[in-house]
């Protein structure tokens, strides 16, 4: 599985990546190519979630997300470190709430403007 | 032998308000636009109509400059009486062109005066704005210089990507652009580091070698010198990467008011994220804090802010 990012240890499937430890005791970070691959998998996964109207892919929504987007879910988990996967899932919900709040504020502003 | 008196026709030409004067005080020009002629001036044209047959005179009573009106009045009055005796007194403004040129050069609102006024105004406005921006930058830059002001930054004791000690003393002489982050950062740090590379190149291109780009890791357990070097080379080979003992890194973050959440005593295999502030810190050649640049700045905007500060700097600046 040579195409897998080095920090995944070349092992695919469900097994979690074994981080590559450098000779001075550090842990090698994903490089630019690894990041691009992870972001690509994430975007494909989120697009699928959008299609099925799923916002939260954690907790109660996890099973539904997995059932509707099995391929994308697996690719996402495979190409991103688990801390990143968790971060991006949370980010998706937070970002939606943020946009929702912005829309609300804008709508209120528009209403106030119209009343004036 | 007196000169022959001007004919009625030429007088009419001289009096015609729609002649050359119309060009000078055109109604379409908002600056020169004047109110409709008062009844007085209308009266003036009417009385003259008795001697002048040309209907154009009172057909279009275009408003004329008050001074010009007076001149015509005096002319008209004498002409109505006796042509041969009035001729000498009227000679000063025999034609509209003459009267026109007189007033065009001598009025208080000539185009030259207007132009000078506008240019002076524009220059002053530009100067004051530039000066205001400079003072604002000075205020920001010197904010932390005084006594009793909250300090951002300060002494630290870390190691660079060669494993050599690197302290706050190593930052002096040049400006420095400092960013805190960690190499396992999912999405924000990589974007910001790409931006930092552009900022650094822009400043170096325009101002010379007067700034140090510094990345300080907030995750010393995983970010060793070797990891940092490999990571930073992807963004810019000249980036300085700093890491160190957990306590030293924590103290550095505290000095720079960076939120530090790194867990202590993590094992190499552990997978975790670190929360951290996402600002660029600009420090002056004396190691004092100048300004923070947030994510809202583009690389170009941030580079401009930095270059403006560098241009203001009066002290010694290491360009090697």
């Amino acid at each position: 599985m040579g195409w897998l990012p080095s920090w995944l240890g070349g092992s695919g499937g469900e097994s979690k990546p074994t981080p590559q430890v450098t000779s001075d005791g550090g842990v090698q970070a994903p490089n630019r190519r690894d990041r691009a691959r992870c972001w690509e998998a994430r975007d494909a996964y989120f697009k699928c979630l959008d299609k099925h109207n799923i916002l939260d892919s954690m907790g109660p929504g996890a099973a539904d997300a997995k059932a509707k987007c099995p391929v994308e879910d697996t690719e996402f988990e495979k190409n991103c470190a688990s801390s990143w996967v968790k971060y991006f899932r949370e980010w998706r919900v937070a970002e939606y709430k943020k946009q929702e709040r912005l829309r609300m504020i804008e709508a209120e502003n528009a209403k106030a403007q119209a009343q004036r | 032998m007196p000169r022959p008196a001007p004919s009625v026709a030429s007088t009419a030409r001289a009096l015609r308000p729609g002649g050359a004067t119309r060009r000078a005080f055109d109604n379409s020009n908002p600056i020169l636009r004047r109110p409709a002629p008062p009844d007085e001036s209308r009266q003036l044209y009417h009385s003259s109509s008795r001697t002048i047959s040309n209907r154009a005179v009172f057909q279009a009573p275009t408003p004329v400059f008050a001074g010009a009106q007076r001149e015509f009045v005096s002319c008209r009055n004498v002409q109505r009486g006796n042509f041969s005796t009035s001729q000498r007194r009227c000679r000063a403004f025999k034609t509209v062109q003459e009267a026109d040129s007189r007033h065009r050069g001598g009025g208080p609102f000539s185009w030259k005066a207007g132009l000078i006024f506008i240019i002076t105004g524009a220059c002053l406005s530009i100067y004051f704005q530039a000066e205001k921006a400079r003072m604002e930058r000075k205020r920001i830059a010197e904010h932390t210089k005084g006594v009793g002001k909250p300090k951002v930054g300060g002494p630290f004791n870390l190691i660079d990507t060669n494993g050599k000690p690197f302290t706050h003393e190593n930052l002096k002489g040049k400006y420095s652009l400092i960013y805190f982050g960690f190499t396992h950062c999912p999405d924000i740090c990589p974007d910001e580091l790409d931006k930092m590379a552009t900022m650094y190149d822009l400043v170096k291109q325009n101002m010379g070698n007067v700034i140090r780009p510094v990345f300080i890791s907030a995750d010393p357990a995983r970010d060793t010198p070797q990891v940092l070097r490999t990571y930073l080379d992807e963004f810019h080979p000249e980036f300085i990467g700093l890491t160190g003992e957990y306590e030293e890194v924590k103290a550095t973050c505290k000095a720079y008011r960076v939120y530090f959440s790194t867990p202590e005593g993590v094992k190499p295999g552990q997978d975790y994220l670190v929360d951290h502030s996402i600002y660029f810190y600009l420090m002056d050649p004396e190691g004092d804090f100048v300004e923070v640049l947030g994510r809202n700045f583009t690389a170009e905007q941030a580079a401009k802010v930095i270059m403006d500060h560098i241009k203001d700097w009066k002290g010694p600046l290491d360009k090697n």
Side-chain angles (χ1 to χ4, degrees), chain B residues 11-26 45 54 56-57 60-64 72 95-98 100 104:
Chain B
T11 314
R13 255 202 315 279
L15 283 165
R16 192 177 301 147
T21 43
R22 183 178 280 176
R23 260 184 289 117
F25 306 108
D26 197 310
Y45 290 120
N54 195 329
V57 172
T62 307
V64 289
F72 287 130
T95 63
V96 168
Q97 281 79 7
E98 254 182 69
D100 194 37
R104 196 182 286 180

Side-chain angles (χ1 to χ4, degrees), chain B residues 61 180 294-295:
Chain B
F180 288 83
R295 283 182 76 197

Side-chain angles (χ1 to χ4, degrees), chain B residues 171-188:
Chain B
L171 289 183
K172 291 189 178 169
K174 290 180 196 290
Y175 271 85
S176 27
L177 185 63
I178 300 176
Y179 187 73
F180 288 83
F182 67 114
T183 62
H184 285 75
C185 180
D187 56 353
I188 295 167

